[in-house]
Structure formats: C-alpha cells, structure tokens
Amino acid sequence: MYHQPVLKNRRTLLERAEKFISDIYFTDCNLRGRLYGDTCPLERLSVFVSPKRMSYSDAVGQQFQPCKVGDTFGPTWWTCWFKVSLTIPESWRGKEVHLRWESDGEGMVWKDGEAVQGLTKEGEKTTYVLTEFLKDDEPHSTTLYVELACNGLFGAGQGSMIATPDPNRKFTVQIAELVVFNRNVRELLTDFEMLVDIVKLLGEEEQRSYQALFTANEMVNLCDPSNPGSFSAARDLAQKFFSQRNGESQHVVHAIAHCHIDSAWLWPYEETIRKCGRSWATVIGLMEKNPEFVFACSQAQQFQWVKNWYPGLFSQIQTYVQKGRFIPVGGTWVEMDGNLPSGESMVRQFLEGQNFFKTEFGHFCREFWLPDTFGYSAQLPQLMAGCGITRFLTQKLSWNLVNTFPHNTFFWEGLDGSQVLTHFPPGNSYEMKGKVEDLIKTMKNNKDKGRANHSAALFGFGDGGGGPTQLMLDRFQRVKDTDCLPRVQFSSPDRLFSELEADSGLLCTWTGELFLELHNGTYTTQAKIKMGNRQCEVLLHDIEVASCLAWCLNKTFSYPSHRLQELWRKLLLNQFHDVIPGSCIEMVVKDALEYYEEIRSTGSSLLNVACEALGSGDCTAVLNTLPWGRREVILLTGCNDVQPRLALVEVPSVGLSVIKELLQPTCPVTVTTKTDGTFVMENGVLQAVLDHKGCLLSLSLVETSREAISDRCAGNQFVLFDDVPLYWDAWDVMDYHLQTRKPVVEVLKPAEVGSNGGLRGSITFSLRISSLSTITQEVVLDADCPYLKFNTQVNWAEAHKFLKVEFPVRVRSSSATYEIQFGHLQRPTHRNTSWDWARFEVWGHKWADLSEHGFGVALLNDCKYGYSTYQNTMTLSLLRAPKAPDANADVGRHEFTYAVMPHIGSFQEASVIQSAYNLNFPLRLVPSAADKANWSAFSVSPAAVVLETIKQAEADDNALVVRLYESHGSSVTATLSTSLAVREAWYCDLLECPDPKRQAAITPTGILLDFRPFQIVSLLLIL
C-alpha cells in the first residue's frame, strides 16, 4: 500500500507554492496562467490626441483616427481619447467578461457619458468588468471611451521617480482586448498568496507558519489548474485555516480604505483633477459590489474639482456620504504643509474646508487628516479644537532620520495646553495593500502595547491616486479573524477613534511640536513660492482690514466677500504640502507663481478700492493695518508729490493718519566713512560698523553701548555650503553639509555710501558668490528704527549649493526662540542629544531671537522660513539649488529683506514681535483722503495680545469677526478698544459659530478679555 511521503524541507515546499502562483515561472501549467481564459480582439479601436485636457462632451465630438495595440502616443502631458468598439462572442455565454487594458499611461473608462473606473497598470487596475455573467438578453456590443493621460501614476521622471519629467516620453497601449476572467482562479490565487505570506512572515519559530505551509502544499496537491472542479477542495482547506480564530485579547486592526492624492507634486494641478476622477469613480464601483466597504477621503479642494468636472460622480459621492460609506475627513481645504502657512492661513484652511463639507454633505469633519506633511506646528491642537476637531491622524514622523518617535497613540498637547487624541498607524504607511505584512507590521510596530489595542491600517494606492482594489478587500476578508494575526475589521475613522477614546486612560501625552527629522530643506527650496505665500498672506490681511474699515465708514461700500474667498482659496491651494515646500516639478511652480500673481493683481485692485472708500479729499493719508501705533520712514510716491521722497510718519493702530506736516526724527541718521575704510551708521538707537565687504563688524545699542556682535567676528557673513542630500533632493539638507562651509568673501563692488542720512542712511556693495552668482545688498538704517535692514538681491545660478547668512552674537543661551503660528517656541542651541542635533535646521516665521537675561538679538525677515542657531551663531537660510524634481529650482533673480535687532530686556519687552510685523506689513498710502484728524478703529492693551484678523463674518453681513492671540506666553486680561459702534460681542470658535453662553463684557474702555498663554480668541462683533 502506497503511503504519501511526509516532506520536511521547508524551502522546497515554500518555493513550490510560490511557483504555483508565479506570474513569471511555469505560467504554462501553474494556477496564475489560468487567470484569463479565452480572448477576443476589439472590434474597432480609434484615437483622438490632444495637447490639452478636455471634457468628455468636447472629446467625443472630435475626429478619431484608427489605431492599434502597440502604437505609441504622446508626448508627456498630452491626452489620448480612445473610442473602443467591442462585441462579446456569443460562445462566452455565462462567462465573466472584462475589457483588459494595459498601458503605461493613466486611463479612465467612460460609459454613457459618465466616468466609471480608472485603468492604471501601476495601480493594479488593468481590467474593466463588462459583465459578471453574460446573458442572452444583455447587449453583446457596446462602445466605451478610454481617456488616457500621457503620464504615469507618479508623473514622468527621467530615470527615477523624483527626477525632472521627460517632456518627450511616448506612451503605449500594450494590451487592449476582451477576456474571459476566471473568478474562481482569482479567489484561489488570493488564498495561496495569503498563506504563502503567512509562512514567510511568521517565520520558522512559529507553529502557525508551518500550519500555513502544509496547508498550502496540500492545496497544490489537490488543485489541478486545468480542472476547475478541483478548486473547491483546495479552497475548503484554505477556509479551514483562515477560520481558526484568535483569542479575545488580540490586537484589532481597523482597515480603512483611503486614496492619498497629492493635489500637485510630480504632475500639475490639472492632472490631479483627473486623478481624483479616476480614483473616486473606482471607489464608487467597489462600493456597489462590497456592502461593508467604506472609504475615507480628505481635501475639500479635490471634492470641489470633482463637483465641477464630474458632476455625475459627485452626485454618487453625496449619496454614499449620506449612507456613511464615503467619509469626508480632514476638515481643511487641502492637506497643507504643517509648518510654513501663517496662523491665519491655517484657520482659513479649516474654515473653507469645514464650511465646504457642511454645505455639500451636511456635517463637519471630526478628524484632522494629514498623513504626509513634513512636520506639525505646536499650535495645531488649538486650531483643531477651535474648529470642532478632537482627533488627529498622521504617519509622517515614521520617516524620522535620527530618532524613533516613541508613540503611535497618544494625546498631543499644543502650545496653549489644548489636547487632541492622536494616532500614527503603526504600519507606517497610508497606502497599504491588505497583505499579511501590513497586518504584522501594524501589530508589532505598535509602541503603545498595553495602552492601545486598536490601530488603523490605511489601504489603497496613494500619492498619485489609484486607491483600493477588489483584491485588497478580498485579502482582508480572508483574515478577519485568523489565529496569529491581528483581528481585522473594515472600519471608519470615527469607529477607530471611538474605540481609542473608550480606552484612553493609560495613554501618554506629547507636548509641543511634532518635528520631522527629515525634509528640512523644504523650509528654503523654491524661494519665490515662499515669498509669494508671505506677501499674499499680508495682502489678504490688509484687504480685509481696509475693507472692514471702509464698510464701517461708508455704507455704500460693498465688502468683496466672494472675490476674497476666491483669492484665499488660491492661496490655500498653494499651501499644499508639496507646493509651498517647493518639492514639486517646474510646471507646478509656474502654476503656483501664476496664482500668486493673480492674488497680487486682483488683491491690489481690491485694496485700492477699499482705500478710496475710506474718504475723499485732497490729502494723502497713511493706513496702518496693525494693532499698534507706528512711527516709520516711508517713501511717498505720487499723491500730489512730483518727486518721490522720504517722510517720517506716525499712524495710530488700525487706522489712518493724514500727512500734514513733516515729522522730525528724534535723532537724524548719520553715515560716516572712516579712514580705515569702514562705515559707521547711527540713528540714536543703533550704531553699526561695516567693512568694505558689507560685513557687520559691530552693532551696538547707543543708549547702553551694549555690543551685539561677538568678539573678533562679523555679522552679515554670507556662507555657501555644498548641498547634496542622500536622495530627496528638493526636500532634504543633511547634517554633513555643515562641514562644507565656505564664506563668501570675493568683493565685486566695495561698499559705498548710498544715502548720507537724515531720515535714512544706506550702504551698498556687491559680492561674487561664484562665477555664476552674485549678491548686491543695500544696508539700511532708518530714523527711530530699532533694527538694521538688509535689502538683498541675488542672481543665483548654482547647482546643489546652499546660501545662508550668519550673525555670531554676544549672547549665551541654551535655547533660541522662533516665531510660529500665533506664538513662539524654544529650540536648543546645543547638540547634547540626538533629539537636539536632529534640529540642525529648523523652521520659523517672521523672527527668531537669542536672548540671555537682560539682552538679546533678534533676526527678522520678510519671506524666509529656514533658521539655525548653534551656540551663539544665528543663521538665516536664504537659497538652495536642488535639481530634482525641478532642474531649474531657484535659478534666477531673488529679492528679499532681513533685519537684525539687538535689544535690552526680553524680546517681549523689546517689541521684537511688533517689529517683525512692521517689517512684513507695509504702511499703505491712501491718496485723495479727507482732511481729518488721525482715526483709529481698534487698539489692544497690553502689548502681549495681538489683534491678528479683522474680517466680515461669514454668516452675517452686519457683523465683524476679530481674532486675537496672546503672544508673550503669559496669562493676561486685555482690553480691546474700538471706535466702532459695537452693540454686542460674542465669543465664537474658529468657524465663527458663536457661543450663546459666552457674551463678552463691553465696558466704557472696551471689551474685556482673559487670555491664557498663546490662547487664540475670536469674537463676533455685532454692529
């Protein structure tokens, strides 16, 4: 009697199972080779090729030319519309029939005028189901259209994903045919795939691994690929294995379908619109076939695009949102960068996003969703809480280059003490595929074992879109409760966080920023995008303030709410986390710069209209949009002045001042040339000494003679570094670049006096950075000004270089302070620990300060975000020169301003915060103003509280919203004084929903407000 041998060689059994399902080996006789049955050519295939993207209705009316499989199309970024005429053979009755389409471009199937499914080989979507069971009474002939984008899922990089796109790449349709799809083969293949992965990933030390191995081997024995009748016995074995259950304490994985789509990155904004259509149409198709399937989706901008371009698809999405299966998350207009946008920009991200979701879907989002952003500001918890969000999901800190973040589920505490429940999916990905590896990583990587027994597994192709597939769903279904693997349930973000909230007693708290120890070159890359962002943030602020004042003074003035919303949405779109960081292709940079130009052009017109409405007359006035009085030197142009001239003006807070008589400075500026070739500039506040190279040899406070520059050192020293990262060119600057420091010392034009003094003194000079690049700088000292300004022009044509400017100062402190959104924080100036030295390059906004008791130095800027402070040297990052994904990144002419400000006392006492605002927010000339006394609409005391925003309320045309924040890090009671006729003042959240239980007290001196450190307070003012 024959006895089947017992095989003990693990390797041969494993490889046998692998080869049985291989798509490379033995496909003539293995199971994989039986996935498709009979094939049939298309009846007719024709094409229309266009350099532009167009709507379906426009495309189908074009002239189509015959084409065939194997033809090439293009070039890159063009669009091909294929007309696909097909007839299914009668002999395929009872079969499942697919259109099989394989191309290196991204495809979309259109049927009866609607987008129905994406076809992207990289996204494992290469067939479209024509019928699951061909019947006699259903049409056998039909015509479909396939819209093919001449780009891949990740653009068209030359040689690598992040390389500059190849503009001349051609694209090919490799397969276009009808096939019989053998569903039973697909199901059995999935069983085998999961078993083989269990064998490999559990390893030899696990009993369960061997059980999976022997199960798979016996399935091979039972299964004859040429005889479908043998499949059921093999499937029964697999089902027996998968149905062996876990214990009750096993970790629970919440499988949440997702499709992360970068709003622009290695492709332009316009292509993202189609990526959304392809991905979301596919999702709707999966929902129709899988009743358990739910899908989480972020970014209101992308929903808006789909609404405009695919109204039928958007209507389907609305239906599934109401069913709780297509779930909007995030609450923001786009998944914005978490570092660089201003505080008010972040508020508007939530305001525009949440209002969109409320209007279109009936509810606000409860979760903030930002999985792929390069760090997270310490003010985000307060901003979330102010927008009705108490939960946060990301995973990007798993990319840390140096330190491993210690938690996956924890409470994140922000600058003001606000807390949000935060979850980092332990699998460290937002595009899992439903494989065994994903589940084991999710369970094993959980750093909060014993504290949190639930984790998310976000699955679906991402970054370039694509989303989930039926195969991913089938994989999860196999192992929903299988011994030795975590339990799996299809879930939603709300269900995940509800489970975490219900058992949160042991969770830890992380206080402060979530700093990503990677991608810190993004604080500097694409300097013109950075400048556009800062300038447009300032412009929109000033338009809103001027428009509110005009509306209050002149009831015929119409507040431009709709046009402002359009401009804000453009700005918010450019704050997407691959645009404002500069980690995008040149096409995206050009689009972003065009949006900034549109904001500047339209915004300037809106500002001029508002200023004209502030009064009419023959006088020139000056508008101050900031909440403190200002005494500054400005340039008067036009406005009855034949020649532009300087004037010292004094303007009240948030108000107007008519220029009647010239003010005299407390102490005129003097500029003196010394016999040793140095230059001395003085204004009664500061004394600066510069050499012929423009280096700052001395900077002292006149009143105390306190020197700011270190002994035997010079400030304003330009330095050049080699800047070659490990891979992510536009993203990363590595710590080793600091070892390549080279001072810029070659003088192109020695320093000379530009302006002799009076109201303004200046020194100009030029330096040669290299044979390709130069710097020209004007060093400016204005009357009564507490800082020395450096107006800088750089002609930049470098490759893989990093330009910075250094100020070694006579200050000793273990930490430096950096402005962030609505506040500031400290970071170390030493490198004691790995957490310290990982912050060798950090981000900040308008200012950074290094202070010891009684004295400090601040560095101010008008468009830069990258800083470093090591020991006593303060450094501002100016320009980078990466070559991927934009080969021309930052090449060209740049203009920017920075300033240095020594001060007595703390930076709070010295008004550093106010000075940085003053540098960024210019006083605005108001021509043809009425001859009136100075007028102020608002003022705030004490100085710790900043009035950041004045705008018309979203829901009430007769009300204003004002937003204030505590800027010093102190608990204070403040008074908001106003000359406007305010009847009532109500506290409201950041979405401008008033709290009916909290009316602010209005006293004869103003509105009284209590603040905790760094608290943001919004008020609804009823006029």
Side-chain angles (χ1 to χ4, degrees), residues 264-278:
W265 180 28
L266 304 176
W267 52 86
Y269 286 129
E270 281 193 354
E271 190 55 42
T272 306
I273 299 172
R274 298 200 294 191
K275 285 178 176 288
C276 294
R278 288 188 285 264

Side-chain angles (χ1 to χ4, degrees), residues 418-439:
S418 298
Q419 289 191 348
V420 291
L421 179 59
T422 300
H423 182 66
F424 295 176
N428 299 334
S429 174
Y430 48 75
E431 50 171 340
M432 290 182 164
K433 306 299 186 294
K435 295 189 174 183
V436 173
E437 177 187 13
D438 300 334
L439 299 175

Side-chain angles (χ1 to χ4, degrees), residues 701-763:
L701 293 166
V702 172
E703 186 176 341
T704 62
S705 298
R706 179 65 156 84
E707 177 60 51
I709 302 299
S710 290
D711 293 338
R712 298 181 300 279
C713 294
N716 199 41
Q717 175 65 65
F718 293 100
V719 285
L720 193 67
F721 298 85
D722 295 339
D723 187 14
V724 184
L726 298 176
Y727 176 71
W728 297 99
D729 201 355
W731 293 258
D732 288 348
V733 55
M734 310 310 297
D735 54 357
Y736 53 74
H737 87 283
L738 296 169
Q739 297 180 328
T740 67
R741 177 182 179 274
K742 300 178 186 68
V744 177
V745 296
E746 184 178 350
V747 177
L748 194 61
K749 182 181 177 183
E752 62 182 16
V753 177
S755 177
N756 289 310
L759 292 179
R760 173 172 292 168
S762 66
I763 300 292

Side-chain angles (χ1 to χ4, degrees), residues 968-988:
H968 287 182
S970 59
S971 296
V972 296
T973 297
T975 301
L976 173 65
S977 301
T978 179
S979 60
L980 306 181
V982 176
R983 292 190 292 109
E984 297 176 4
W986 294 87
Y987 287 92
C988 62

Side-chain angles (χ1 to χ4, degrees), residues 555-570:
K555 290 305 179 183
T556 64
F557 176 80
S558 178
Y559 188 90
S561 55
H562 293 297
R563 298 185 74 185
L564 274 167
Q565 184 186 58
E566 292 172 0
L567 299 184
W568 266 111
R569 286 184 171 183
K570 283 185 169 67

Side-chain angles (χ1 to χ4, degrees), residues 937-951:
F938 290 96
S939 63
V940 188
S941 64
V945 174
V946 175
L947 173 58
E948 176 73 16
T949 302
I950 306 167
K951 65 181 289 290

